[in-house]
Amino acid sequence: MGFFVYLRVCVSGCSKVPRTAEDATQGGTTPGHAQKFIMKKNQKSAAIGFIFITMLIDITGWGIIIPVIPKLIEELIQGDISEAAKYGGWLGFAYAFTQFIFAPLIGNLSDQYGRRPIILISLFAFALDYVLLSFAPTITWLFIGRIIAGLTGASITTASAYIADISTPENRAKNFGMIGAAFGLGFIIGPVIGGLLGHFGARVPFYAAAVLCFVNFIYGYFILPESLAKENRRKFEWKRANPVGALLRLRKHPTLFGLMSAIFILYVASHAVQSNWSYYTMFRFGWDEKMVGISFGIIGLLVGLVQGVLIRWINPKLGNVNSIYVGIILYAVGMFLFASATQSWMVFVFLIPYCLGGIAGPAMQSVVSSQVLPTEQGEIQGTLSSLMSASAIIGPPVMSGIFYYFTHDEAPFEFAGAPFVLGGFLMLVSLVIAYFSFKKQKSHLK
């Protein structure tokens, strides 16, 4: 309910919510430092609500199309679900490769021009992309649509920088958890709607996603405030706006290199679930679009509870480092359990430890963002997005390829859970790297 309160405050009196931190301190008639501080604090609280709603609508639109993508691919290639998974992996590659190239560019642009215009451009472009996908006559058009989405897919990257702008060291992990909560709630609403709309045709959910994304653009245009004060902006530099350069900039932060490596491997491992869930459940248990949508809704509910509720008291009790360790272990346990599932109900039970692993993500982002300057938050979030995209260049084709290898007609033996086994082992590798990274940091501090 708190987020709707923020919305009502802005609609009823936009002057109460300044567009920038600079505006917050220029009231003309506002006496005293204490009042200025209160206004700035209120602005940050409202901004968190605004970015949460923006991300919620964005993720809901994304979630709407997920349950129907396998059937749409089957329709376009005239193949079976196993072969569709292989194409799905390469579609993920197309999206990730273009985002890998352009995410640092977007992050650096947001450091110069602010977060708000970049988010709005991204939302409008996504609306156009969904329209294109809804009319796709061949599989080639799906690839074109995914490339366009990768070029403009800045909303999550820039939203992360937005959260960093308005966070303090004390609430940074909690605020990053709000992005996870938006993902969770978006996946409660979106896939369920997509699964229901999928009964009317594989393309109908794309129409709904386009409308929702355009509504989000309109909402952001009139409501979303700017988070990056002018004194914290920096000029755009091409040498810092390319993916290789963005990764090389990590040399400025040698203590982050080990953790970034662990994050990269964790991202690759996560594609055992992200790239295969729909195909795996349709193949292994004969689920239809509606059932896939319901499962994503349950995933969203669990993720929302973990990152929007539980993390508020788990992270302060465990701390960032222990939250990362426990989270990765739970991820790995979930992966191995998925691989061993033999009935549908087991998958839903095994989602609990896997989704509890979500306490690791906000803690990792908190550690990373706390070690860079305010003027570099957009750049470091762009670098994280580049790592995610680089992992998605590898993850989807590898995990989907393994799924296809063990499920197609001439497979040596049938084992649809093979990608989860690989994902679980990669999670454990990530855990070991993170452990030695933090151990090295402690030795440097002594």
Side-chain angles (χ1 to χ4, degrees), residues 255-309:
T255 56
L256 288 179
F257 184 79
L259 182 58
M260 288 293 199
S261 300
I263 291 173
F264 175 77
I265 294 173
L266 187 145
Y267 284 159
V268 173
S270 68
H271 281 282
V273 175
Q274 294 178 22
S275 299
N276 282 307
W277 184 262
S278 299
Y279 305 99
Y280 168 75
T281 53
M282 286 179 173
F283 179 89
R284 187 74 177 85
F285 306 114
W287 288 5
D288 60 9
E289 297 95 328
K290 181 180 178 180
M291 194 63 185
V292 170
I294 291 172
S295 72
F296 274 115
I298 292 174
I299 291 172
L301 176 62
L302 292 173
V303 170
L305 288 174
V306 170
Q307 298 203 5
V309 180

Side-chain angles (χ1 to χ4, degrees), residues 383-399:
T383 300
L384 282 170
S385 184
S386 287
L387 282 176
M388 183 181 295
S389 298
S391 71
I393 293 172
I394 300 170
V398 169
M399 296 302 181

Side-chain angles (χ1 to χ4, degrees), residues 75-90:
E75 174 187 318
L76 294 176
I77 66 173
Q78 298 181 348
D80 59 17
I81 196 68
S82 181
E83 191 174 359
K86 184 170 62 174
Y87 278 91
W90 287 111

Side-chain angles (χ1 to χ4, degrees), residues 120-131:
L120 293 179
I121 292 170
S122 174
L123 293 176
F124 186 74
F126 266 126
L128 296 179
D129 177 56
Y130 288 136
V131 171

Side-chain angles (χ1 to χ4, degrees), residues 12 18 35 50 57 96 106 120 122 142 172 180 183 189 198 231 239 308 364 373 385 388 419 424 436 442:
S12 62
Q35 182 65 25
F50 295 145
I57 298 173
I106 298 302
L120 293 179
S122 174
L142 285 189
R172 184 176 281 113
F183 263 92
I189 302 168
E231 60 267 24
K239 66 180 181 180
M364 284 179 163
L373 297 172
S385 184
M388 183 181 295
F436 283 106
K442 287 183 180 179

